[in-house]
Amino acid sequence: FNVDFHLFNVAFNLFDVDSTGSYTVTVVNTQVVNNLYVQEGTVTFTGGQLSFKGSGSYFSNYVATGCTAIYNTPFVGTGSPDKWGPGTAVYNGASTSGGYYTLNEGTLALGNDAALSTVRLELGDQAGVKIVTLKSADSTAHTLANYLTLKATNFNIGPGGDLTFSCPINVNSNAIPARTIAVSNSVTTFSGVLTNTGGLIKTGPGTLVLSGASANTCGSSTANGYTTVSSGTLKLSKTAGVAAVANGSLVVNAGGTLLLGAANQIGNAIPITLGGGKFL
């Protein structure tokens, strides 16, 4: 199923054909998108470029339950798509779009180091209540130069290749619960500075690495500002003498491992509670 088309508000129902089918949509040149809905099957967009403009607060890219939208087309222009819907969107293009990206619902898989251009990604909906999944599109490792804002109270790094985020990560405020990150790939690395007063709770079987040459500034003395390892491994691997955990408290629960990858990774005033976990 190959179509050359012009876009504004488009719903891909695929003419009510078999909802388990796979289809290709060929984009001609650069097409302007307001809202795009994939409501059946697996749809691959190929060819030209997509420019999300929108007429409201969000430039919607909606993928329904059980559906997959694969974008081999890059995103260009002044706006970037907002991922909605419980389905999976795969961004494979090398994008140059502006504004910022959001993952409000469902799964977003990244198949290119420039899949999110170089702009911000807001991870989670505005209320932070939906559990979202971010992952590599396959077994390939990716390094992404995107500022992250952690809005979801709980989010997943799904199975697939290793992911590295080299820009700052805003973990959010201690006025709300600490962000719980479940890592299910082998290694996810935050090499930028973690900021704000909130904390992190590491779960999942994979390893979360906090690295880079500048000290993290996140965390606080309230429970919502603690750094907690509940399962898998949290590796503190900043440049020696640079604090990966500078504020709050460190808690290592049963099933969790705190691993030091360099010297002097924990601030001198940070309490450490070993609640049955390992400190290596």
Side-chain angles (χ1 to χ4, degrees):
F1 177 66
N2 297 279
V3 174
D4 295 343
F5 65 101
H6 295 277
L7 289 172
F8 190 62
N9 291 300
V10 180
F12 286 93
N13 294 304
L14 301 175
F15 310 113
D16 295 326
V17 293
D18 181 2
S19 63
T20 63
S22 298
Y23 311 90
T24 298
V25 173
T26 302
V27 179
V28 177
N29 300 319
T30 299
Q31 299 299 327
V32 176
V33 182
N34 185 3
N35 296 297
L36 194 155
Y37 304 87
V38 171
Q39 297 174 318
E40 294 184 12
T42 296
V43 184
T44 299
F45 295 87
T46 189
Q49 303 174 126
L50 293 174
S51 178
F52 277 76
K53 296 294 185 184
S55 58
S57 300
Y58 291 98
F59 309 155
S60 294
N61 175 20
Y62 184 93
V63 186
T65 301
C67 297
T68 301
I70 301 171
Y71 294 91
N72 295 330
T73 52
F75 304 118
V76 300
T78 57
S80 297
D82 298 299
K83 167 63 175 69
W84 288 93
T88 298
V90 182
Y91 294 174
N92 284 328
S95 295
T96 58
S97 56
Y100 61 93
Y101 289 75
T102 68
L103 171 57
N104 298 283
E105 191 176 13
T107 298
L108 176 59
L110 307 174
N112 193 298
D113 286 7
L116 301 171
S117 186
T118 58
V119 295
R120 182 172 85 251
L121 171 65
E122 294 195 348
L123 197 58
D125 64 293
Q126 292 295 321
V129 297
K130 296 182 183 295
I131 299 175
V132 296
T133 298
L134 184 68
K135 59 180 289 188
S136 176
D138 51 31
S139 61
T140 304
H142 292 290
T143 298
L144 299 109
N146 300 100
Y147 179 100
L148 296 184
T149 300
L150 308 185
K151 292 196 168 183
T153 302
N154 296 273
F155 66 94
N156 304 315
I157 301 295
D162 293 345
L163 293 176
T164 297
F165 293 92
S166 61
C167 283
I169 296 98
N170 181 347
V171 304
N172 221 309
S173 165
N174 63 4
I176 54 180
R179 311 289 88 174
T180 296
I181 174 171
V183 178
S184 295
N185 65 349
S186 180
V187 178
T188 291
T189 301
F190 292 161
S191 62
V193 176
L194 276 65
T195 67
N196 215 325
T197 56
L200 286 178
I201 301 172
K202 163 65 180 71
T203 66
T207 297
L208 176 63
V209 178
L210 307 184
S211 67
S214 299
N216 291 330
T217 62
C218 66
S220 58
S221 59
T222 67
N224 287 344
Y226 292 177
T227 298
T228 302
V229 190
S230 290
S231 59
T233 299
L234 176 64
K235 183 177 181 180
L236 307 182
S237 196
K238 293 274 187 183
T239 301
V242 175
V245 180
N247 301 300
S249 294
L250 261 172
V251 180
V252 187
N253 291 324
T257 298
L258 179 65
L259 176 63
L260 296 183
N264 300 319
Q265 295 294 294
I266 303 168
N268 291 334
I270 303 299
I272 300 175
T273 301
L274 295 178
K278 298 178 181 178
F279 186 10
L280 303 175

